[in-house]
Amino acid sequence: MKHFFLTKIRLSTYFWILFFVFLALSVALPGYKFDPGALTLFSVNSFLYGFYIAPILGAQKSRIEELHRIIRAESNALFSLVLHFKKLPKLERNKLQSMVSLYIHVKLHRKTATAGEKEYEELISYCIDYKGESSQQIEKTLDALIANQQNRTNFGMQADNKVFANEWQIMAILFSITLGFILFINITGAPILHVVRALLCTGLTMLILILIKLNTLTHKKAKQMWTPLKKLVDTNFYRID
């Protein structure tokens, strides 16, 4: 899965970059003394920003947890499938296991909802077209492949369950207004308040960056969901994790 290269930068790196950028802006930008009406707008906007982004962040975290569950379920299904191959003659066993391995490698390489579609269809076609002596065992393999298709369907549904464009637009508006108020509000107290302002701006921006990473499945938590499949091929189908 290809993503904008900025999503590959670690969040900890972003934190320090943003902190020093906002610290410089806090010192350099002129401050304004807002009237009570403007401060009321700022309060309302800040509340709406937090109220709006919180459930979206929660939904994306739940989405990744569900993807973890789905991939583990498919890994268990493939593990059981390969164990079932032990009952087949060596030629059929090696052929089917290599096809399953290819399917997993393609899925791990592309990491998209449709990854491995062709390879999975070839597995099913092989079982349907099989005319050898192990027809009964191959038929059970076909049943297992069809049953696992539910996991593949669920994965596709969750992978495509992203933040909508209109939601990004609303968050961008609320975020920009909140950030603008914080950066331009007049600070006349101790210099440490510039550090506090920089930290506040950094925290607000980090929420957006975390949401972007969750949405594009480039967050560390999202990357870990592939571990069962990786372990499966790394151990030659002896272990899942």
Side-chain angles (χ1 to χ4, degrees):
M1 184 181 293
K2 295 182 179 179
H3 299 292
F4 189 46
F5 76 96
L6 290 178
T7 61
K8 298 179 181 179
I9 300 175
R10 293 172 60 89
L11 287 171
S12 56
T13 303
Y14 268 123
F15 176 86
W16 291 110
I17 292 173
L18 290 169
F19 172 71
F20 287 113
V21 168
F22 285 126
L23 184 60
L25 289 174
S26 178
V27 175
L29 290 176
Y32 296 94
K33 188 175 182 179
F34 296 110
D35 58 43
L39 292 175
T40 301
L41 286 175
F42 170 59
S43 299
V44 172
N45 183 84
S46 300
F47 170 78
L48 287 175
Y49 175 66
F51 180 80
Y52 195 79
I53 195 174
I56 296 177
L57 271 170
Q60 287 302 305
K61 288 181 180 178
S62 298
R63 167 181 172 241
I64 290 178
E65 289 173 0
E66 181 64 14
L67 286 170
H68 272 269
R69 187 196 67 76
I70 293 169
I71 291 179
R72 170 157 307 268
E74 182 170 19
S75 299
N76 284 329
L78 295 176
F79 180 69
S80 299
L81 194 64
V82 173
L83 286 179
H84 176 71
F85 293 163
K86 305 290 184 184
K87 302 176 182 179
L88 296 172
K90 185 176 180 180
L91 182 63
E92 286 86 348
R93 180 174 70 245
N94 291 341
K95 173 67 175 177
L96 284 168
Q97 185 164 328
S98 65
M99 293 177 76
V100 172
S101 295
L102 178 61
Y103 163 70
I104 295 176
H105 279 297
V106 171
K107 197 173 181 73
L108 290 174
H109 176 68
R110 297 180 187 170
K111 296 178 180 176
T112 62
T114 58
E117 190 73 36
K118 177 175 174 263
E119 289 72 19
Y120 203 82
E121 288 178 358
E122 289 176 352
L123 261 169
I124 293 176
S125 297
Y126 177 87
C127 294
I128 291 174
D129 298 336
Y130 181 81
K131 303 298 181 184
E133 298 178 355
S134 304
S135 297
Q136 188 174 0
Q137 296 297 332
I138 294 296
E139 187 175 341
K140 292 180 180 178
T141 298
L142 178 60
D143 291 339
L145 288 170
I146 293 173
N148 181 59
Q149 187 64 33
Q150 183 63 46
N151 290 319
R152 290 174 42 77
T153 301
N154 291 339
F155 178 86
M157 291 173 59
Q158 289 297 330
D160 292 334
N161 188 20
K162 299 180 179 181
V163 181
F164 294 113
N166 63 313
E167 293 175 322
W168 282 119
Q169 292 168 359
I170 294 171
M171 282 187 289
I173 292 170
L174 296 175
F175 167 73
S176 300
I177 295 173
T178 303
L179 200 66
F181 266 105
I182 295 172
L183 284 174
F184 285 103
I185 195 169
N186 189 39
I187 290 180
T188 57
I192 191 66
L193 290 178
H194 287 291
V195 176
V196 174
R197 175 156 63 181
L199 286 171
L200 182 57
C201 291
T202 301
L204 289 171
T205 309
M206 288 295 290
L207 285 176
I208 295 292
L209 291 174
I210 290 171
L211 183 57
I212 291 173
K213 280 183 166 283
L214 291 172
N215 186 60
T216 57
L217 301 180
T218 54
H219 192 276
K220 183 178 180 181
K221 184 176 178 63
K223 293 178 180 179
Q224 292 173 346
M225 68 186 180
W226 300 104
T227 301
L229 285 176
K230 288 179 181 177
K231 183 64 70 174
L232 204 58
V233 293
D234 289 344
T235 61
N236 197 27
F237 297 94
Y238 280 99
R239 287 180 57 194
I240 297 176
D241 58 16

Coordinates of all heavy atoms in Angstrom, one line a residue, residues 37-82:
G37 N -15.8 39.0 22.7 CA -16.6 38.3 21.6 C -15.7 37.3 20.9 O -16.1 36.1 20.6
A38 N -14.5 37.7 20.6 CA -13.5 36.8 19.9 C -13.1 35.7 20.7 O -13.0 34.5 20.3 CB -12.3 37.6 19.4
L39 N -12.9 35.9 22.0 CA -12.6 34.9 23.0 C -13.7 33.9 23.1 O -13.5 32.7 23.3 CB -12.2 35.5 24.3 CG -10.9 36.3 24.3 CD1 -10.7 36.9 25.7 CD2 -9.7 35.4 23.9
T40 N -15.0 34.3 23.0 CA -16.1 33.4 23.1 C -16.1 32.5 21.9 O -16.4 31.3 22.0 CB -17.4 34.2 23.2 OG1 -17.4 35.1 24.3 CG2 -18.6 33.3 23.2
L41 N -15.8 33.1 20.7 CA -15.7 32.3 19.5 C -14.6 31.2 19.6 O -14.8 30.1 19.2 CB -15.5 33.2 18.3 CG -16.6 34.1 17.8 CD1 -16.2 35.0 16.7 CD2 -17.8 33.2 17.3
F42 N -13.5 31.7 20.2 CA -12.4 30.7 20.4 C -12.8 29.6 21.3 O -12.5 28.4 21.0 CB -11.2 31.5 21.0 CG -10.1 30.6 21.4 CD1 -9.5 29.7 20.5 CD2 -9.7 30.6 22.8 CE1 -8.4 28.9 21.0 CE2 -8.7 29.8 23.2 CZ -8.0 28.9 22.3
S43 N -13.5 29.9 22.4 CA -14.0 28.8 23.3 C -14.9 27.9 22.6 O -14.8 26.6 22.8 CB -14.6 29.5 24.5 OG -13.7 30.3 25.2
V44 N -15.9 28.4 21.9 CA -16.9 27.5 21.2 C -16.2 26.7 20.1 O -16.4 25.5 20.0 CB -18.0 28.4 20.5 CG1 -18.9 27.5 19.6 CG2 -18.8 29.1 21.6
N45 N -15.2 27.3 19.4 CA -14.5 26.5 18.3 C -13.7 25.4 18.9 O -13.6 24.3 18.4 CB -13.6 27.5 17.5 CG -12.9 26.8 16.4 OD1 -13.5 26.6 15.3 ND2 -11.7 26.4 16.6
S46 N -13.0 25.7 20.0 CA -12.1 24.7 20.7 C -13.0 23.5 21.2 O -12.6 22.4 21.1 CB -11.4 25.4 21.9 OG -10.6 26.4 21.4
F47 N -14.1 23.9 21.8 CA -15.0 22.8 22.2 C -15.5 21.9 21.1 O -15.5 20.7 21.2 CB -16.2 23.4 23.0 CG -17.3 22.4 23.3 CD1 -17.2 21.6 24.4 CD2 -18.4 22.3 22.5 CE1 -18.1 20.6 24.7 CE2 -19.4 21.4 22.8 CZ -19.3 20.5 23.9
L48 N -15.9 22.6 20.0 CA -16.4 21.8 18.8 C -15.2 20.9 18.2 O -15.5 19.8 17.8 CB -16.9 22.8 17.7 CG -18.2 23.4 18.1 CD1 -18.6 24.4 17.0 CD2 -19.3 22.4 18.2
Y49 N -14.0 21.5 18.2 CA -12.9 20.7 17.7 C -12.7 19.4 18.5 O -12.6 18.3 17.9 CB -11.6 21.6 17.7 CG -10.4 20.8 17.3 CD1 -10.2 20.4 16.0 CD2 -9.3 20.6 18.2 CE1 -9.0 19.7 15.6 CE2 -8.2 20.0 17.9 CZ -8.0 19.5 16.6 OH -6.9 18.9 16.2
G50 N -12.6 19.6 19.8 CA -12.5 18.4 20.7 C -13.6 17.4 20.6 O -13.5 16.2 20.6
F51 N -14.9 18.0 20.6 CA -16.1 17.2 20.5 C -16.2 16.4 19.2 O -16.7 15.3 19.2 CB -17.3 18.1 20.6 CG -18.6 17.4 20.6 CD1 -19.1 16.8 21.7 CD2 -19.4 17.4 19.4 CE1 -20.3 16.1 21.7 CE2 -20.6 16.7 19.4 CZ -21.1 16.1 20.5
Y52 N -15.6 17.0 18.1 CA -15.8 16.4 16.8 C -14.7 15.3 16.6 O -14.9 14.2 16.0 CB -15.7 17.4 15.7 CG -16.2 17.0 14.4 CD1 -17.5 16.9 14.1 CD2 -15.2 16.6 13.4 CE1 -18.0 16.4 12.8 CE2 -15.7 16.1 12.1 CZ -17.0 16.1 11.9 OH -17.5 15.6 10.6
I53 N -13.4 15.6 17.0 CA -12.3 14.7 16.6 C -12.3 13.5 17.5 O -11.8 12.4 17.1 CB -11.0 15.5 16.7 CG1 -9.9 14.7 15.9 CG2 -10.6 15.8 18.1 CD1 -8.6 15.4 15.8
A54 N -12.7 13.6 18.8 CA -12.6 12.5 19.7 C -13.3 11.2 19.2 O -12.7 10.2 19.2 CB -13.2 12.9 21.1
P55 N -14.6 11.3 18.8 CA -15.2 10.1 18.4 C -14.6 9.5 17.1 O -14.6 8.3 16.9 CB -16.7 10.5 18.2 CG -16.7 11.9 18.0 CD -15.6 12.4 18.8
I56 N -14.1 10.4 16.2 CA -13.5 9.9 15.0 C -12.2 9.2 15.3 O -11.9 8.1 14.7 CB -13.2 11.1 14.0 CG1 -14.6 11.7 13.6 CG2 -12.5 10.6 12.8 CD1 -14.5 12.9 12.7
L57 N -11.4 9.7 16.2 CA -10.2 9.0 16.7 C -10.6 7.6 17.3 O -9.9 6.6 17.0 CB -9.5 9.8 17.7 CG -8.4 10.8 17.2 CD1 -8.0 11.7 18.3 CD2 -7.2 10.1 16.6
G58 N -11.6 7.6 18.1 CA -12.0 6.4 18.7 C -12.5 5.4 17.7 O -12.2 4.2 17.8
A59 N -13.2 5.8 16.7 CA -13.7 4.9 15.6 C -12.5 4.3 14.8 O -12.6 3.1 14.5 CB -14.6 5.7 14.7
Q60 N -11.5 5.1 14.6 CA -10.4 4.6 13.8 C -9.5 3.6 14.7 O -9.0 2.6 14.1 CB -9.5 5.7 13.4 CG -10.1 6.5 12.2 CD -10.4 5.7 11.0 OE1 -9.5 5.0 10.5 NE2 -11.6 5.7 10.5
K61 N -9.5 3.8 16.0 CA -8.8 2.9 16.9 C -9.5 1.6 16.9 O -8.9 0.5 16.9 CB -8.6 3.5 18.3 CG -7.6 4.6 18.4 CD -7.5 5.1 19.8 CE -6.5 6.2 19.9 NZ -6.5 6.8 21.3
S62 N -10.9 1.7 17.0 CA -11.7 0.4 17.0 C -11.6 -0.3 15.6 O -11.6 -1.5 15.6 CB -13.2 0.8 17.2 OG -13.3 1.4 18.5
R63 N -11.5 0.4 14.6 CA -11.3 -0.1 13.2 C -10.0 -1.0 13.2 O -10.0 -2.1 12.7 CB -11.2 1.0 12.2 CG -10.7 0.6 10.8 CD -10.8 1.8 9.9 NE -10.1 1.5 8.6 CZ -9.1 2.2 8.2 NH1 -8.5 3.1 8.9 NH2 -8.6 1.9 7.0
I64 N -8.9 -0.4 13.7 CA -7.6 -1.2 13.7 C -7.7 -2.4 14.6 O -7.2 -3.5 14.3 CB -6.5 -0.2 14.1 CG1 -6.3 0.8 13.0 CG2 -5.2 -1.0 14.4 CD1 -5.2 1.8 13.3
E65 N -8.4 -2.3 15.8 CA -8.5 -3.4 16.6 C -9.3 -4.5 15.9 O -9.0 -5.7 16.1 CB -9.2 -3.0 17.9 CG -8.4 -2.2 18.8 CD -9.1 -1.6 20.0 OE1 -10.4 -1.9 20.1 OE2 -8.5 -0.9 20.8
E66 N -10.3 -4.2 15.2 CA -11.1 -5.1 14.4 C -10.3 -5.8 13.3 O -10.4 -7.0 13.0 CB -12.4 -4.4 13.8 CG -13.3 -5.4 13.0 CD -13.9 -6.5 13.9 OE1 -13.9 -6.3 15.1 OE2 -14.5 -7.4 13.3
L67 N -9.4 -5.0 12.7 CA -8.5 -5.5 11.6 C -7.5 -6.5 12.3 O -7.2 -7.5 11.6 CB -7.8 -4.4 10.9 CG -8.6 -3.5 10.0 CD1 -7.8 -2.3 9.5 CD2 -9.0 -4.4 8.7
H68 N -7.1 -6.2 13.5 CA -6.2 -7.2 14.2 C -7.0 -8.5 14.4 O -6.4 -9.6 14.1 CB -5.9 -6.6 15.6 CG -4.7 -5.8 15.6 ND1 -3.4 -6.3 15.9 CD2 -4.5 -4.5 15.4 CE1 -2.5 -5.3 15.8 NE2 -3.1 -4.2 15.6
R69 N -8.2 -8.4 14.8 CA -9.0 -9.6 15.0 C -9.2 -10.4 13.7 O -9.1 -11.7 13.7 CB -10.4 -9.3 15.6 CG -11.2 -10.5 16.1 CD -12.6 -10.1 16.3 NE -13.3 -9.7 15.1 CZ -13.7 -10.6 14.2 NH1 -13.5 -11.9 14.3 NH2 -14.3 -10.1 13.1
I70 N -9.5 -9.7 12.7 CA -9.8 -10.4 11.4 C -8.6 -11.1 10.8 O -8.6 -12.2 10.4 CB -10.3 -9.3 10.4 CG1 -11.7 -8.8 10.8 CG2 -10.4 -10.0 9.0 CD1 -12.1 -7.6 10.0
I71 N -7.4 -10.4 10.9 CA -6.2 -11.0 10.4 C -5.8 -12.2 11.2 O -5.3 -13.2 10.7 CB -5.1 -10.0 10.3 CG1 -5.4 -8.9 9.2 CG2 -3.7 -10.6 10.0 CD1 -4.4 -7.8 9.1
R72 N -6.0 -12.1 12.5 CA -5.7 -13.3 13.4 C -6.6 -14.4 13.0 O -6.2 -15.6 13.0 CB -5.8 -12.9 14.9 CG -5.8 -14.2 15.8 CD -5.4 -13.9 17.1 NE -4.1 -13.2 17.3 CZ -2.9 -13.8 17.4 NH1 -2.8 -15.1 17.4 NH2 -1.9 -13.1 17.6
A73 N -7.9 -14.1 12.8 CA -8.8 -15.2 12.4 C -8.4 -15.9 11.1 O -8.5 -17.1 10.9 CB -10.2 -14.6 12.3
E74 N -8.0 -15.1 10.1 CA -7.5 -15.6 8.8 C -6.3 -16.4 9.0 O -6.1 -17.5 8.4 CB -7.3 -14.5 7.8 CG -6.9 -15.1 6.5 CD -6.9 -14.1 5.3 OE1 -6.9 -12.9 5.6 OE2 -6.9 -14.6 4.2
S75 N -5.3 -15.9 9.9 CA -4.1 -16.7 10.1 C -4.4 -18.0 10.7 O -3.8 -19.0 10.3 CB -3.2 -15.8 11.1 OG -2.9 -14.6 10.5
N76 N -5.3 -18.1 11.7 CA -5.7 -19.3 12.3 C -6.3 -20.3 11.2 O -6.1 -21.5 11.2 CB -6.7 -19.1 13.4 CG -6.1 -18.6 14.7 OD1 -5.0 -18.9 15.0 ND2 -6.8 -17.7 15.4
A77 N -7.2 -19.7 10.3 CA -7.8 -20.5 9.3 C -6.7 -21.1 8.3 O -6.8 -22.3 8.0 CB -8.8 -19.6 8.5
L78 N -5.8 -20.3 8.0 CA -4.7 -20.7 7.0 C -3.8 -21.8 7.7 O -3.3 -22.7 7.1 CB -3.9 -19.6 6.5 CG -4.6 -18.6 5.6 CD1 -3.8 -17.4 5.3 CD2 -5.1 -19.2 4.4
F79 N -3.6 -21.5 9.0 CA -2.7 -22.5 9.8 C -3.4 -23.9 9.8 O -2.8 -24.9 9.6 CB -2.5 -21.9 11.2 CG -1.7 -22.8 12.1 CD1 -0.4 -23.0 11.9 CD2 -2.3 -23.5 13.2 CE1 0.4 -23.8 12.7 CE2 -1.6 -24.3 14.0 CZ -0.2 -24.5 13.8
S80 N -4.7 -23.9 10.1 CA -5.5 -25.1 10.1 C -5.5 -25.8 8.8 O -5.5 -27.0 8.6 CB -6.9 -24.8 10.6 OG -6.9 -24.3 11.9
L81 N -5.6 -24.9 7.8 CA -5.6 -25.4 6.4 C -4.3 -26.2 6.0 O -4.4 -27.3 5.5 CB -5.8 -24.2 5.4 CG -6.2 -24.6 4.0 CD1 -7.6 -25.2 4.0 CD2 -6.2 -23.3 3.2
V82 N -3.2 -25.6 6.4 CA -1.9 -26.2 6.1 C -1.8 -27.5 6.9 O -1.2 -28.5 6.4 CB -0.8 -25.2 6.3 CG1 0.6 -25.9 6.2 CG2 -0.8 -24.0 5.3

